[in-house]
Amino acid sequence: MAAKGKQSQMAQWNRSGYFRSSGSRDVNPDLQAERQTASFSVERLTTILDGGADNTRTRRAVEAVIHSDPGFSRENQYFQSQNERYEAAVRKSVHLKEKMHQMGWTENRPEIKYCYRALGGDLAFNVHRVFKNSILALGTDEQIAKWIPPADKYHIIGTYAQTELGHGTFLRGLETTAVFDISTQEFTLNTPKISAMKWWPGDLGRSATHAVVFAQLYIKGKCCGLHAFILQIRSLCDHSPVPGVIVGDIGPKMNFEHIDNGYLMLQNINIPRENMLSRFSQVLPDGTYVKQGSDKINYLTMIVTRVQMLWTEVIPMLLRACTIAIRYSVVRRQSKLNPSDPEAKILDYQTQQQKLLPLLATAYAFHFMNAFVNEFYNKGYTEIKQGNFDSLPELHALTSGLKAIITDYCTAGAEVCLRACGGHGYSALSGLPFLYTKLVASCIYEGENTVLFLQTARFLVKCLAAAHSGQPIPASVAYLSSVGSGKCKAWTKTDFLKPDIYAEAYRHRATRLLGNAATKLQALVQSGAEQYEAWNKCTIQLVQAAKAHCHYIIVKNFIDTVEKLKNEAEIQKILKHLCDLFALHGIFSNTGDFLHAGYISGDQMDMVTASYLDLLAVIRNDAVPLADAFDFTDESLNSALGCYDGHIYQRLYEWAQKSPTNQQVSRAYARYLKPLFQSAPSKL
Amino acid sequence: MAAKGKQSQMAQWNRSGYFRSSGSRDVNPDLQAERQTASFSVERLTTILDGGADNTRTRRAVEAVIHSDPGFSRENQYFQSQNERYEAAVRKSVHLKEKMHQMGWTENRPEIKYCYRALGGDLAFNVHRVFKNSILALGTDEQIAKWIPPADKYHIIGTYAQTELGHGTFLRGLETTAVFDISTQEFTLNTPKISAMKWWPGDLGRSATHAVVFAQLYIKGKCCGLHAFILQIRSLCDHSPVPGVIVGDIGPKMNFEHIDNGYLMLQNINIPRENMLSRFSQVLPDGTYVKQGSDKINYLTMIVTRVQMLWTEVIPMLLRACTIAIRYSVVRRQSKLNPSDPEAKILDYQTQQQKLLPLLATAYAFHFMNAFVNEFYNKGYTEIKQGNFDSLPELHALTSGLKAIITDYCTAGAEVCLRACGGHGYSALSGLPFLYTKLVASCIYEGENTVLFLQTARFLVKCLAAAHSGQPIPASVAYLSSVGSGKCKAWTKTDFLKPDIYAEAYRHRATRLLGNAATKLQALVQSGAEQYEAWNKCTIQLVQAAKAHCHYIIVKNFIDTVEKLKNEAEIQKILKHLCDLFALHGIFSNTGDFLHAGYISGDQMDMVTASYLDLLAVIRNDAVPLADAFDFTDESLNSALGCYDGHIYQRLYEWAQKSPTNQQVSRAYARYLKPLFQSAPSKL
């Protein structure tokens, strides 16, 4: 009865125009006004971001297909339990397979990446793809022929079981064993202690039938190191675990609840000799261990995974967060700037600009950096396929450092966007908590960021030594051998809008920090410290140096990207402003690095600040069009605050109605509250 | 059958000693070793942190009572849906009421705060307390006599309905109206547009029967500003909304799912004249509006709420996060420092020390700061009660800034702890995601942090002007009128371990940043800008100044606290190290602020770095005892990684078994996967 009364009251209010339906296509006038004053063509910028008009067309066609299919709806995503999210992800993945077949989209075509974007990434079987990739990389032709076709058809679901409870980063420390028995021609796999249990592999907890398991290979009592083995873990008839296998789900996480990250224990599991992936090493029937070819190419798997995660899981999340927070910040009005005016759009407050506009610039910087890395990777990949491994160390160091810095910044950025939307940002319905909790994982998986920065640092230290001894060094670090000025040449605040000026400042900072760390390292070793001990004592400073290097690379790439847009005057102009903002915000936020050795003086730093603050006001005017250019559909953003039409309050209210908390009367009332209330004095 | 097979296999493995029960009281030897080399008495430090041995005893007695009662178990917390968490919180709150009655604990006794600590804060009816406090502060004696007794007994549950969909920070902008009708002697309340809907109040969505509603008071067409009204929103018989009320839950959030944050729409709700809270303003029967007394005391409600949230909801969360991450970091071994040694404890890596040890120092700094603020508040409260409001602006500015800086740092700290535990930190079972998602809310509620920093800045600008014109200024800002040296007097790295040296550096920084912002503000106004426009253009720098001020206050208080521990040599020594670490880490992390005007030179900054790195190694040795001294029970920490015995892997595994994802076979198998697998070729 209460519900009925509510409905009739709602109907009455609706008739009176209290609620404007979010379905209507009118746009909030404050948001509309922002779009009318764009200094450039949003559509043109979108095609540039997409890498051409053809891509934009394909993307939009895919989005239309996906969004018109109710099987892909994300409507209830924020209300689902871990079980429900898993089930939905499996359902959508199987459905997507059919849809792809129906549409003629194959896995190598660009449509697949647009599907992923349209769906916001909530699909199952991501590690199944890694399972396949590992067989393709490490398997013999026979193994590929046997396992890939059924995997392609989802006749089997595989997982990639590397990480253990006790070991993630340090692969040599993995404790799972595979002992070869000549008499049976089989390997016997065991997870001999609790810390050896496989823990975290995706698709393992509830889906996988097979696994590529990494284990220490033992032949005749001798350890031959880590190798990969294919084994079945669940029955293809009834999905029950194979005898000797204990498998399950690792339970709730901060996000990724749609993925069944799992655990796996093995007790005396026997598999035939053919189930060791044997492209690069093989065990012969008599127990002879044979290494063949170079397995350096394996690094490529790790590298390509990092490159792919940046453009599917990481950078787009920052673009989404910026879109949501910037649109919200021109619809939300709060307090007054001028006491005689109406309340101000919150984006007109300098502090709000400080939070969001450098992030917008960062989003563009990362997008362009990513385009460069893809190109660099493809070039390296071709060379490596031809047997030329020269670019591998550079490619590895570059992608390690960039993965670390980009995930760090995107994670911090998502938090800033969330907090910049105040309480409404904290609501799950804003979409922002979801983006943050996904992004923070990216700082950990595919290489923990501190470890990655140190890998980049190790490469940089080597390159610096090579440069000092006059040896050639790779292009991305060539700046280490050039000699720059000891003082910044800027005289006015507008000098700091010259790319040469700020690029040189970043170069100086990176060179100085690396030089200092390397000098300290050398001094410690010369004073008698062991190499490992000296390295450990320099790691904080080495991480700083690696970050400064990556920061320089990103600034430099942004400058180069803007310079190439000579035929796009309007676009070039606004992107130049963004590039300036990205660069000056980086200096403004790390003043000490530039002031320390006096490269930039205190007075010059005041000019940086002045120019930086000027730029905020410039970018403010184009903030909404710059976010619009990312061209996310409402369905893909899935945010009550970020929709294109700006009807934030209507949507928050309408979406809240769908929450399970509003679908039923809580048992808490009858059980705990009713007895109390019935004791209330009647006179109240 | 599969489950049965698993059980028997598990039993077999258990017999073989594969699993060590986490219930046994043996401690992980790596963790044990850390405790044996403590340089001080942990028990003694605990009593100091508790404010005396009596408090420690009381706390432990309360913890024993709470933890021995299965009605308060937090065992399933990480597996619960929003509905389940709400229901559990209501159940526990009602149960706690009974328990308190039974134990003779009244609301004013210290036991209640220890209950809250033991329960990790997951209780309902927090806003019910604010409802009561607002009546106590704003109500007449008659109103208090009428409403407080039933509220105390939970015969009614109240909420505090201030925030609206469209307004949070800017109270004057609230749009709910209360129109007085002389003919009926009633107020008519309305939320006349969607943005006027009350949104966010806790305990509103599903529990509250009554609300204190803030609305713009209109008498004879004239707006008399914001006032508070008591109204019933749900029936005490069947809990259905009162006619004219639409009320519900705002849906999922990043955390606080146990709280039913709600929305409330009012259409022509009539309430008697007596229901306006009338201690400070009153509407007479003839419509005359009367103000009486000073309502300045209202600020105290806001201030005390912030003070209380710091010690119940914020600072303890950082202490918990540090405890979890530090214990984990001496049990977790990963990779090798010395190639010929076993794998190293991850806390032996400098980068891990850099993440966690400054946070540990920060936790102590905040704990001591909080003790000071409580004392300061109590002194101010006594004066204000006696009609002396002199300390109010200082108290308000101090608590605003400290709320902002402490919530900022604690939130960032929780993320650092989470990431420092790698993948296991990302598991909900670590407890760390939960701490982060709670803390990030504290940056928004009870005053958004940027707004709060600017309130502090406004106070500082006024004080600076007063100091320049020779007027007296409050104690906490007295340093603004002292004249310091323009250069830091340190000659060696050990000079930077002198509190005078670093305190003076922080003082110089705060004074300089404030002075610069104030000068810019003045210059803009003198060059013709409107005051509001000039203020907005300085806000980024004003926020920096406010942060520097708060940072200085916290460093200074840490120094003072350590100095007072003259009779506790051991404790004083280790806390002095922590204080040094906190101070030097702050300089190391904000080098630009100190280098800018040349107060600290580049060479001196290298000394800061050297001393800072030395301190990491010193604190490393006592890290576990320093975390142990916080004395959290395992039940209260509720972390698979942070338990006292250090059996991290066993607990992760055991706790994961309880996850709903392991309690049932997902429907996804039968629906989507089985049909696929049955097409698999039989030869696999």
Side-chain angles (χ1 to χ4, degrees), chain B residues 42 283 559 567:
Chain B
V42 170
V283 179
I559 295 171
N567 301 325

Side-chain angles (χ1 to χ4, degrees), chain A residues 427-455:
Chain A
S427 164
L429 307 180
S430 75
L432 293 165
F434 189 83
L435 292 175
Y436 171 83
T437 52
K438 269 199 138 174
L439 279 166
V440 73
S442 72
C443 300
I444 301 166
Y445 67 74
E446 293 305 332
E448 194 278 327
N449 283 356
T450 302
V451 174
L452 291 184
F453 277 128
L454 287 173
Q455 287 178 358

